[in-house]
Amino acid sequence: MSTDSAPLHPNEALKSRSNYLRGNLAEVIADPLTGSIPEEEVQLIKFHGSYLQDDRDVRAERRKKKLEKAYSFLIRVRVPGGVCTPDQWLAMDTIADTWANGSLRLTTRQAFQLHGVIKSNLKTTIQSINQALLDTIAACGDVNRNVMCNPNPHLSELHGQVLQTARDISAHLLPHTRAYHEIWLDEEKVAGGAPEEEPIYGKTFLPRKFKVAIAVPPSNDVDVFAHDLGFIAIADSEGKLHGFNVTVGGGMGMTHGREDTFPRVADGLGYIPADKVVEVAEKVVLVQRDFGNRSDRARARLKYTIHERGIDWFKGEVEARLGWTFEPEAPYAFSSTGDRYGWVKGADGRFHLTLFIQNGRIKDTADYPLKTGLREIARIHKGDMRLTANQNLIIAGIEPDDRAAIEQLIHQYKLYRGLHQTGLRMNSMACVALPTCGLALAESERYLPTLVSQLEDVMKECGMRDDEIVIRMTGCSNGCARPYLAEIGLVGKAPGVYNVYLGAAFNGSRLNKLYRDSVPQNNLLPLISAIIRDYSISRRPGERFGDFTIRSGYVKPTRKGPDFHDEIRYKEYQI
Ligand code: SRM
Ligand code: SF4
């Protein structure tokens, strides 16, 4: 149900006639005449965790030669809470080499991505992933996505409970259709085409993607306010899970040039006891299912439903379906969105090692055998591997007696590089962008490391080598590396051209704001260096970079979603 009188977006009819996400997927995947699939199935395959892409580096050349685009598929593997076993890591490592482009991507949502899987290998690859007891169901599409949670194992009991909560929410919100099992795993078809039950989603699923995260204060590593639905864990006096503050209506995506689209930080709904969490997640999803915009996909996320109808209306709808009311929010405080790097000893005496992984890319280079090193660790490791929301990796649960062997491998494969980077780099994130992302307007993963190196020189010169500034880049305005919550946000506008955003809070509670529109790549270094130099001289004790840029008048603070664009009007007025 949508209250919008505008015609439904074509994807709504497409979902409806797909017979619960089957469409002609099985047939078109088997067609050997092309590396591509038709548009209808391009939309449907997302619900199965995959995207059709092409290598954009060779697009022009192939067009000239009148060749089909260099098509391949992205596969996203769901990892609730980011936790997998060493065996699953090894399986992903092998699959990346055998069927994909040889690298693994740890995503900003604690999942794995494979790139470059050609159509004829798609089914085998998905089967191999399932053999490792992982899957790609609902990793993309208009459904609930990978559920994130704080992966810091040293928080022991509380963390264990939060991880279980993430898994419970994930399982509860999975689609029920057997389409995935039929198409990819050769399960027998539902007898006689009998109608299936899709109790939460119905035939047309959600108006748009839906994202859930659980944060454990004081860490806001999951960027809980960027989520459609967020839970902030509240512990009792013994450090055990007591309940959650619930947040709704966060999101990052916007469209350049459309001021009615904007990033938004979530609103609070109140506090709930821990055992109510799955029920609340379901009801929030149901309200969005029934009232989300199904006409304009750029305005279809929960944040717009709440922006238009108001948080009080939304809370009332959720409470009416629950049959009980939220308690007032419990006190909590966030300190940062970053990861805690290096070795830490947990309450149970086991060790955990967090490594910085640049942009989440796991591959070997001539002087940095990262992929091989992690493979060797996974071979002997008895704990688990944890993907963080900042694209990093925790080798978790190392018994004291096993630490020396892991340290030896860290040394042998130079993995200590993931421990000794500057404060700026350790707080950097870039989305994938070119060459695989079909929506990229500019480089991101392939460019940010270079820009960071240049800015590092300035930081060192200012005596700020280890000072933390959160810097994030994306190749377009969709916000996949959550750039609007970065103290320095760089968002691709065109090839070699970026918008520069400043003024987000270090703890992820305030969005940034546009500082300069359409800056050519070569001007980024002088532009940002000048502000860093000013910061090094004029900052107050303990003042964060984002707060400084507001106090010093570089940008005005963004209080909520729509005023994210205020500065643009202000700038136009100045001109
Ligand atoms: Fe994203 C679309 C990559 C996290 C907002 N995102 C895409 C696609 C699939 C492009 C496409 O639709 O053709 C990208 C694939 C690129 C590639 O080649 O790999 C892509 N998104 C990613 C990843 C891999 C970025 C990364 O470097 O880690 C992240 C995968 C997460 C996962 O494991 O599920 C990723 N995307 C995000 C996030 C961050 C988050 O969820 O915390 C956001 C912003 C938060 C949000 O959703 O509001 C995000 N991605 C988008 C959007 C804009 C959605 C919107 O509301 O407007 C799109 C475009 C769309 O959906 O139409 C998009
Ligand atoms: Fe692609 Fe844009 Fe997402 Fe980057 S932010 S991965 S360019 S959709």
Side-chain angles (χ1 to χ4, degrees), residues 92-257:
M92 289 306 302
D93 177 272
T94 305
I95 292 167
D97 287 343
T98 315
W99 307 112
N101 67 0
S103 84
L104 272 176
R105 188 64 152 65
L106 313 187
T107 75
T108 54
R109 295 198 63 75
Q110 301 180 285
F112 288 111
Q113 266 191 195
L114 299 163
H115 291 100
V117 180
I118 57 170
K119 195 171 88 174
S120 52
N121 291 334
L122 196 52
K123 193 164 169 175
T124 316
T125 310
I126 291 180
Q127 288 181 344
S128 311
I129 291 166
N130 278 267
Q131 275 155 18
L133 303 182
L134 291 165
D135 67 67
T136 68
I137 304 174
C140 321
D142 297 344
V143 282
N144 176 55
R145 304 291 188 86
N146 197 41
V147 177
M148 301 223 276
C149 81
N150 175 296
N152 284 324
H154 65 280
L155 297 173
S156 63
E157 195 168 348
L158 175 62
H159 179 269
Q161 291 169 311
V162 166
L163 174 63
Q164 190 52 50
T165 307
R167 288 174 167 161
D168 292 347
I169 297 170
S170 174
H172 189 74
L173 296 180
L174 269 189
H176 285 215
T177 170
R178 301 303 294 174
Y180 182 89
H181 305 80
E182 284 172 20
I183 296 168
W184 307 106
L185 308 179
D186 295 329
E187 184 181 280
E188 288 289 307
K189 289 209 169 35
V190 174
E196 281 180 298
E197 285 272 304
E198 196 61 85
I200 296 179
Y201 295 118
K203 270 182 116 165
T204 49
F205 294 80
L206 295 180
R208 205 62 165 88
K209 58 179 78 167
F210 189 90
K211 297 182 175 178
V212 182
I214 311 177
V216 182
S219 171
N220 186 19
D221 56 347
V222 295
D223 265 325
V224 73
F225 301 117
H227 284 74
D228 297 275
L229 173 59
F231 294 101
I232 300 169
I234 305 295
D236 63 17
S237 54
E238 287 165 17
K240 290 187 183 148
L241 183 64
H242 192 261
F244 296 95
N245 286 337
V246 183
T247 62
V248 285
M252 292 281 99
M254 62 141 187
T255 310
H256 286 310

Side-chain angles (χ1 to χ4, degrees), residues 463-483:
M464 299 198 300
R465 187 203 176 276
D466 296 322
D467 283 47
E468 295 183 293
I469 297 178
V470 177
I471 181 167
R472 297 175 181 172
M473 176 178 278
T474 54
C476 81
S477 58
N478 281 318
C480 298
R482 300 186 290 274

